[in-house]
Coordinates of all heavy atoms in Angstrom, one line a residue:
F17 N -9.7 1.9 3.0 CA -8.3 2.3 3.1 C -7.6 1.3 4.0 O -6.4 1.0 3.7 CB -8.2 3.7 3.7 CG -8.6 4.8 2.7 CD1 -9.7 5.5 2.8 CD2 -7.8 5.0 1.6 CE1 -10.0 6.6 2.0 CE2 -8.0 6.1 0.8 CZ -9.2 6.8 0.9
S18 N -8.2 0.9 5.0 CA -7.5 -0.1 5.9 C -7.1 -1.4 5.2 O -6.0 -1.9 5.3 CB -8.3 -0.4 7.1 OG -9.6 -1.0 6.8
L19 N -8.0 -1.9 4.3 CA -7.7 -3.1 3.6 C -6.6 -2.8 2.6 O -5.7 -3.6 2.4 CB -8.9 -3.6 2.9 CG -8.8 -4.9 2.0 CD1 -8.4 -6.1 2.9 CD2 -10.1 -5.2 1.3
V20 N -6.6 -1.7 1.9 CA -5.6 -1.4 0.9 C -4.2 -1.3 1.7 O -3.2 -1.7 1.3 CB -5.9 -0.1 0.2 CG1 -4.7 0.4 -0.6 CG2 -7.1 -0.4 -0.6
F21 N -4.2 -0.7 2.9 CA -3.0 -0.6 3.7 C -2.4 -2.0 4.0 O -1.2 -2.2 3.9 CB -3.2 0.2 4.8 CG -2.0 0.4 5.8 CD1 -1.1 1.3 5.4 CD2 -1.8 -0.3 6.9 CE1 0.1 1.5 6.1 CE2 -0.7 -0.1 7.7 CZ 0.2 0.8 7.4
I22 N -3.3 -2.9 4.5 CA -2.9 -4.2 4.8 C -2.3 -4.9 3.7 O -1.3 -5.7 3.7 CB -4.0 -5.0 5.5 CG1 -4.3 -4.3 6.9 CG2 -3.7 -6.5 5.7 CD1 -5.6 -4.8 7.5
I23 N -3.0 -4.8 2.5 CA -2.5 -5.4 1.3 C -1.1 -5.0 0.8 O -0.2 -5.7 0.4 CB -3.6 -5.3 0.1 CG1 -4.8 -6.2 0.4 CG2 -3.1 -5.7 -1.2 CD1 -6.0 -5.9 -0.4
G24 N -0.9 -3.6 1.0 CA 0.4 -3.1 0.7 C 1.5 -3.6 1.7 O 2.6 -3.9 1.2
L25 N 1.1 -3.7 2.9 CA 2.1 -4.2 3.9 C 2.5 -5.7 3.5 O 3.6 -6.1 3.7 CB 1.6 -4.1 5.3 CG 1.6 -2.7 5.9 CD1 1.1 -2.7 7.3 CD2 3.0 -2.1 5.8
L26 N 1.4 -6.5 3.1 CA 1.6 -7.9 2.8 C 2.6 -7.9 1.5 O 3.5 -8.7 1.6 CB 0.3 -8.6 2.5 CG 0.4 -10.0 2.0 CD1 0.9 -10.9 3.0 CD2 -1.0 -10.4 1.5
Q27 N 2.4 -7.0 0.5 CA 3.2 -7.0 -0.6 C 4.7 -6.6 -0.2 O 5.6 -7.2 -0.7 CB 2.7 -6.0 -1.6 CG 3.5 -5.8 -2.9 CD 3.0 -6.6 -3.9 OE1 2.0 -7.2 -3.9 NE2 3.9 -6.8 -5.0
D28 N 4.8 -5.8 0.7 CA 6.2 -5.3 1.2 C 6.9 -6.5 1.9 O 8.0 -6.7 1.6 CB 6.0 -4.2 2.1 CG 5.6 -2.9 1.4 OD1 5.9 -2.8 0.3 OD2 5.2 -2.0 2.1
V29 N 6.1 -7.2 2.7 CA 6.7 -8.3 3.5 C 7.2 -9.4 2.5 O 8.2 -10.0 2.6 CB 5.8 -8.8 4.5 CG1 6.3 -10.1 5.1 CG2 5.6 -7.8 5.6
L30 N 6.3 -9.7 1.6 CA 6.6 -10.8 0.7 C 7.6 -10.5 -0.4 O 8.4 -11.4 -0.8 CB 5.3 -11.3 0.0 CG 4.2 -11.9 0.8 CD1 3.0 -12.2 0.0 CD2 4.8 -13.1 1.5
T31 N 7.8 -9.3 -0.8 CA 8.9 -8.9 -1.8 C 10.1 -8.4 -1.2 O 11.1 -8.3 -1.9 CB 8.3 -7.8 -2.8 OG1 8.0 -6.7 -2.0 CG2 7.1 -8.3 -3.6
G32 N 10.1 -8.1 0.0 CA 11.3 -7.6 0.7 C 11.6 -6.1 0.4 O 12.6 -5.7 0.7
A33 N 10.6 -5.5 0.0 CA 10.6 -4.0 -0.2 C 10.6 -3.3 1.2 O 10.3 -3.9 2.2 CB 9.5 -3.5 -1.0
P34 N 11.0 -2.0 1.1 CA 10.9 -1.3 2.5 C 9.5 -1.3 3.0 O 8.6 -1.0 2.2 CB 11.4 0.1 2.1 CG 12.3 -0.1 0.8 CD 11.7 -1.2 0.2
L35 N 9.3 -1.5 4.3 CA 8.1 -1.6 4.8 C 7.2 -0.3 4.7 O 7.7 0.8 5.2 CB 8.2 -2.1 6.3 CG 7.0 -2.7 6.9 CD1 6.6 -4.0 6.2 CD2 7.2 -3.1 8.4
G36 N 6.1 -0.4 4.1 CA 5.3 0.8 3.9 C 5.3 1.4 2.4 O 4.5 2.2 2.1
L37 N 6.3 0.9 1.6 CA 6.4 1.4 0.3 C 5.2 1.1 -0.6 O 4.5 2.1 -1.1 CB 7.7 0.9 -0.4 CG 7.8 1.4 -1.8 CD1 8.2 2.9 -1.8 CD2 8.9 0.5 -2.5
H38 N 4.8 0.0 -0.8 CA 3.6 -0.4 -1.5 C 2.4 0.0 -0.8 O 1.4 0.5 -1.6 CB 3.5 -2.0 -1.7 CG 4.5 -2.4 -2.8 ND1 5.8 -3.1 -2.4 CD2 4.5 -2.4 -4.1 CE1 6.4 -3.3 -3.5 NE2 5.8 -3.0 -4.5
A39 N 2.3 0.0 0.4 CA 1.1 0.5 1.1 C 0.9 2.0 0.8 O -0.2 2.4 0.5 CB 1.3 0.3 2.7
F40 N 2.0 2.8 0.8 CA 1.9 4.2 0.5 C 1.4 4.4 -0.9 O 0.6 5.2 -1.2 CB 3.3 4.9 0.7 CG 3.2 6.3 0.3 CD1 2.5 7.2 1.1 CD2 4.0 6.7 -0.8 CE1 2.6 8.6 0.6 CE2 4.0 8.0 -1.2 CZ 3.2 8.9 -0.4
V41 N 2.0 3.7 -1.9 CA 1.6 3.7 -3.3 C 0.2 3.4 -3.5 O -0.6 4.1 -4.2 CB 2.6 2.9 -4.2 CG1 2.2 2.9 -5.6 CG2 4.0 3.5 -4.1
Y42 N -0.2 2.3 -2.9 CA -1.6 1.9 -3.1 C -2.6 2.9 -2.5 O -3.7 3.2 -3.1 CB -1.9 0.5 -2.5 CG -1.1 -0.6 -3.2 CD1 -0.9 -1.8 -2.5 CD2 -0.5 -0.4 -4.5 CE1 -0.2 -2.9 -3.1 CE2 0.2 -1.5 -5.0 CZ 0.4 -2.6 -4.4 OH 1.1 -3.6 -5.0
L43 N -2.3 3.4 -1.3 CA -3.2 4.4 -0.7 C -3.2 5.6 -1.4 O -4.2 6.4 -1.5 CB -2.8 4.7 0.8 CG -3.0 3.5 1.7 CD1 -2.4 3.8 3.1 CD2 -4.5 3.4 1.9
L44 N -2.0 6.1 -2.0 CA -2.0 7.3 -2.8 C -2.8 7.1 -4.1 O -3.6 8.0 -4.5 CB -0.5 7.5 -3.2 CG -0.2 8.9 -3.8 CD1 -0.6 10.1 -2.9 CD2 1.2 9.0 -4.3
C45 N -2.7 5.9 -4.7 CA -3.6 5.6 -5.9 C -5.0 5.7 -5.6 O -5.9 6.2 -6.3 CB -3.1 4.3 -6.5 SG -4.1 3.7 -7.8
Q46 N -5.4 5.1 -4.4 CA -6.8 5.1 -4.1 C -7.4 6.4 -3.7 O -8.4 6.8 -4.1 CB -7.0 4.1 -2.9 CG -8.5 3.8 -2.6 CD -8.6 2.9 -1.4 OE1 -7.8 2.8 -0.6 NE2 -9.8 2.3 -1.4
W47 N -6.5 7.2 -3.0 CA -6.9 8.5 -2.6 C -7.1 9.4 -3.9 O -8.1 10.1 -4.1 CB -5.9 9.1 -1.7 CG -6.2 10.6 -1.3 CD1 -7.2 10.9 -0.5 CD2 -5.4 11.7 -1.8 NE1 -7.0 12.3 -0.4 CE2 -6.0 12.8 -1.2 CE3 -4.3 11.9 -2.6 CZ2 -5.5 14.0 -1.5 CZ3 -3.9 13.1 -2.8 CH2 -4.5 14.2 -2.3
Q48 N -6.2 9.3 -4.8 CA -6.3 10.0 -6.1 C -7.5 9.6 -6.9 O -8.2 10.5 -7.5 CB -5.0 9.8 -6.9 CG -5.0 10.6 -8.2 CD -4.8 12.1 -7.9 OE1 -4.3 12.5 -6.8 NE2 -5.3 13.0 -8.8
L49 N -7.8 8.4 -7.0 CA -8.9 7.9 -7.7 C -10.3 8.4 -7.1 O -11.3 8.7 -7.8 CB -8.9 6.3 -7.8 CG -7.9 5.8 -8.8 CD1 -7.8 4.3 -8.6 CD2 -8.3 6.2 -10.2

């Protein structure tokens, strides 16, 4: 989970999305799977 969170934050920083958006989506996907 920690790696997925870091990857999501990296995606947010690089795309300019609200910080934590991709991290939340990726963690939600991983938790569901």
Side-chain angles (χ1 to χ4, degrees):
F17 286 109
S18 58
L19 179 62
V20 172
F21 182 75
I22 291 169
I23 289 169
L25 286 181
L26 177 67
Q27 178 93 13
D28 290 336
V29 168
L30 292 176
T31 60
L35 202 59
L37 177 68
H38 286 99
F40 176 71
V41 170
Y42 296 163
L43 286 172
L44 188 65
C45 175
Q46 186 180 27
W47 176 71
Q48 184 68 26
L49 285 171

